[in-house]
Amino acid sequence: MSIGRVNKAHTLETQGITGLGTVHYNLLEPDLMTEALARKEGTMGQGGTLLVTTGKFTGRSPKDKHVVRSASTEKTIWWENNAPMEPAKFDALYDDMIAHMKGRDYFVQDLYGGADPAHRLDVRVVTELAWHSLFIRTLLRRPERAELDEFTPDFTIINCPSFTADPERHGCRSGTVIALNFDRKLILIGGTEYAGENKKSVFTLLNYILPEKGIMPMHCSANHAPGNPVDTAVFFGLSGTGKTTLSADPARVLIGDDEHGWSDRGTFNFEGGCYAKTISLSPEAEPEIFATTKKFATIIENMVFDPETKELDFEDDSLTANMRCAYPLHYISNASASALGGHPKNIIMLTCDAFGVLPPIARLTPAQAMYHFLSGFTAKVAGTERGVTEPQPTFSTCFGAPFMPRRPEVYGELLKQKIAKHGATCWLVNTGWTGGAYGTGSRMPIKATRALLTAALDGSLARAPFRKDKNFGFEVPVTVSGVPDILLDPRRTWDNPESYDRQAAKLVSMFSENFAQYADHIDDDVRAVTIG
């Protein structure tokens, strides 16, 4: 039995998936909420939200992600970063998962990955849980109802949390598995209820497919000036660097908060929703994101709440610090209706430097931009993980290594080419520490960061006087209106300049050691970028 609108020529049965219970095709939000509550998958929260937990997995399982090794992928996949799976093992996994699914009810969403119709991916997502169906419907692009009559999936994702993989039989690491088969156009997810695996699986697909079309997939947020999409800015950054906060500027139009493509036409969001962290979320700092936590069909994930009033506790991280809410993009008042922008005029690379070495902003040459893009630097601070007693560097290439199926240099070269072709100005912005490392110095004032970004985006910063940084070789402004001059020179903010020099030398050495892995895969101009 099938419920909901679907292309009759492309049902699960026509894909060879038969013997299931009720298959719910393309249910809308009210029905998905009803189904999730009826199945006791979650609790109704204030404003009609859905409160859910994800069991023992409160984040992604990157070590359990596998790519099927075949003739077509042998030379294109970055195997050092993606665990291989043999085709026969995947076939066994698929057969066993489909057998497990027999007689059970499932939910199907037919969705788009990408706001640009010329480059979108038509994705079918089959989920065991109704709230997973609501989640992916929220996060991806939603077709018009009439478009579903002709919808033909390019790729199908099957997510079955109740299925446990067999490492020996299926060629995986554990009972949890995320297996991508580009030849069969299938992704299988089992053994985890964490909904983010659905979203990032689509991102990984786009990261593999789009570069062959000359399109740069980006783990970034993006916005543009009101009424002027030509004035687009993108913000690369790892978790905790301020990517969502700084792009959500009320004076600019939000294109998206996490995943975008850069084509010959311009910038386009991959998604139709946002997946925001809620730890310490406040109505003062993030009023619009906070407001979504009381809006209908927003999914509240892994948050502690009062069992009687359903009031959320934004400070209680006893379930996880990775508590989140998922909501459609149109819940943000200044969000772009089209989710399209122009070619980036400014590219911002965000880092949270807990060593207190990097300046609050620096201008990069295209070669330097590729260097820092491939480095993908931020830092963990003491107390964030057991055993971390001093700042530790984190290098996640392209600001998103877990989602990169191809070698980093593929993305780096694409970015460099597009910067050169379209004349984007690149900036490195440090939202971390000043006046000393974490534990001694203080966090970079958000007011100063916003002032510097405003100056960069309106063009006034380009007219400021600059100096060359002796440690990293990039250009640093000497004076900017509204920002204390001392803040622009990190060495001057330290009580002991010699201590700064030692800390800077230590960080430079970390960068150099990490970047050595790319030396044989990059152009001479990037190889010539010297630091220290």
Side-chain angles (χ1 to χ4, degrees):
M1 177 180 179
S2 301
I3 299 176
R5 198 157 186 170
V6 65
N7 182 349
K8 297 298 193 297
H10 291 282
T11 62
L12 289 185
E13 287 82 358
T14 65
Q15 292 182 267
I17 302 174
T18 60
L20 305 185
T22 300
V23 180
H24 303 268
Y25 286 97
N26 296 307
L27 297 188
L28 301 182
E29 289 78 2
D31 283 339
L32 288 171
M33 287 285 296
T34 299
E35 292 289 344
L37 293 170
R39 288 167 163 75
K40 300 188 184 304
E41 295 175 3
T43 302
M44 178 78 79
Q46 293 188 8
T49 59
L50 183 65
L51 311 177
V52 299
T53 57
T54 61
K56 66 177 182 177
F57 291 99
T58 57
R60 291 177 296 101
S61 302
K63 293 182 179 179
D64 291 309
K65 187 183 77 172
H66 300 263
V67 176
V68 174
R69 188 193 292 269
S70 67
S72 66
T73 60
E74 181 64 45
K75 295 182 179 180
T76 55
I77 296 294
W78 181 23
W79 293 113
E80 294 88 346
N81 188 59
N82 294 271
M85 176 180 283
E86 295 305 312
K89 297 291 188 180
F90 180 91
D91 293 346
L93 175 65
Y94 176 81
D95 290 344
D96 290 348
M97 184 175 286
I98 296 301
H100 173 86
M101 294 166 62
K102 299 289 186 181
R104 300 169 186 252
D105 296 348
Y106 279 83
F107 297 84
V108 175
Q109 288 290 327
D110 292 328
L111 301 162
Y112 299 142
D116 187 338
H119 304 300
R120 75 188 182 203
L121 190 69
D122 294 359
V123 183
R124 167 166 286 176
V125 186
V126 183
T127 63
E128 182 178 20
L129 299 174
W131 82 262
H132 274 196
S133 195
L134 175 62
F135 174 90
I136 201 63
R137 177 174 174 79
T138 300
L139 266 296
L140 292 187
R141 309 288 302 176
R142 297 164 288 279
E144 297 294 330
R145 298 301 283 172
E147 291 179 297
L148 294 172
D149 294 336
E150 303 298 327
F151 187 96
T152 302
D154 297 317
F155 274 80
T156 297
I157 299 171
I158 302 175
N159 189 322
C160 188
S162 66
F163 176 82
T164 302
D166 180 336
E168 183 175 351
R169 174 171 167 77
H170 301 136
C172 51
R173 189 185 72 97
S174 72
T176 298
V177 65
I178 303 97
L180 291 77
N181 190 322
F182 291 106
D183 292 339
R184 292 188 61 176
K185 299 184 182 303
L186 278 170
I187 297 178
L188 306 179
I189 303 173
T192 172
E193 293 183 34
Y194 184 66
E197 299 287 8
N198 298 293
K199 158 189 158 73
K200 289 306 184 186
S201 291
V202 178
F203 187 39
T204 303
L205 284 177
L206 291 165
N207 280 332
Y208 185 74
I209 293 167
L210 293 182
E212 289 187 344
K213 301 180 178 181
I215 299 169
M216 173 67 189
M218 303 179 292
H219 189 211
C220 70
S221 56
N223 63 26
H224 68 72
N228 185 16
V230 172
D231 185 3
T232 292
V234 298
F235 300 76
F236 290 99
L238 297 167
S239 179
T241 59
K243 183 178 59 171
T244 299
T245 298
L246 294 173
S247 64
D249 184 340
R252 293 175 66 85
V253 176
L254 179 66
I255 301 171
D257 80 326
D258 195 39
E259 302 170 5
H260 295 80
W262 184 356
S263 70
D264 287 340
R265 191 211 59 80
T267 309
F268 63 99
N269 193 354
F270 289 166
E271 302 186 302
C274 301
Y275 191 33
K277 284 189 174 181
T278 55
I279 188 167
S280 299
L281 186 66
S282 73
E284 294 78 24
E286 301 284 356
E288 291 211 87
I289 296 176
F290 187 88
T292 69
T293 63
K294 292 186 179 180
K295 291 190 175 183
F296 176 72
T298 290
I299 299 166
I300 308 294
E301 191 179 79
N302 293 323
M303 287 192 69
V304 174
F305 59 89
D306 185 289
E308 182 178 354
T309 66
K310 307 303 186 287
E311 192 73 34
L312 301 172
D313 189 332
F314 292 88
E315 303 302 325
D316 189 337
D317 63 355
S318 57
L319 293 177
T320 177
N322 190 37
M323 57 180 81
R324 292 180 181 264
C325 62
Y327 52 89
L329 197 61
H330 65 258
Y331 278 6
I332 303 298
S333 63
N334 67 328
S336 166
S338 68
L340 302 173
H343 297 292
K345 185 177 178 181
N346 287 278
I347 295 173
I348 317 297
M349 297 185 186
L350 300 169
T351 182
C352 177
D353 173 25
F355 295 86
V357 169
L358 295 176
I361 196 166
R363 184 166 59 190
L364 307 174
T365 66
Q368 288 171 336
M370 186 173 173
Y371 181 95
H372 285 278
F373 179 70
L374 290 175
S375 296
F377 167 73
T378 193
K380 298 175 184 177
V381 298
T384 57
E385 292 183 7
R386 177 182 290 181
V388 179
T389 57
E390 62 178 14
Q392 291 187 357
T394 297
F395 293 97
S396 184
T397 189
C398 307
F399 297 97
F403 325 119
M404 301 295 153
R406 297 180 183 271
R407 279 204 60 86
E409 300 83 8
V410 173
Y411 308 102
E413 184 61 28
L414 263 175
L415 182 64
K416 193 180 75 163
Q417 290 173 2
K418 290 188 177 294
I419 289 171
K421 181 176 180 179
H422 300 288
T425 303
C426 301
W427 307 91
L428 183 70
V429 172
N430 174 25
T431 60
W433 270 256
T434 183
Y438 173 83
T440 301
S442 57
R443 194 72 187 259
M444 195 71 68
I446 186 65
K447 183 178 179 181
T449 301
R450 289 192 182 279
L452 290 167
L453 278 174
T454 298
L457 298 184
D458 68 19
S460 61
L461 185 56
R463 299 188 292 272
F466 284 79
R467 66 175 176 83
K468 183 175 181 179
D469 183 88
K470 72 173 187 177
N471 295 304
F472 286 88
F474 43 48
E475 293 184 313
V476 181
V478 175
T479 181
V480 178
S481 178
V483 179
D485 289 352
I486 190 174
L487 198 65
L488 298 170
D489 186 352
R491 191 173 189 270
R492 290 174 57 199
T493 66
W494 282 53
D495 292 336
N496 187 332
E498 288 74 25
S499 295
Y500 170 86
D501 292 338
R502 289 191 295 271
Q503 186 83 322
K506 180 179 178 181
L507 184 58
V508 165
S509 177
M510 293 174 181
F511 263 87
S512 297
E513 181 179 350
N514 172 73
F515 201 78
Q517 63 185 299
Y518 307 118
D520 296 333
H521 303 275
I522 55 176
D523 292 343
D524 290 342
D525 57 345
V526 180
R527 194 178 293 110
V529 172
T530 56
I531 61 175

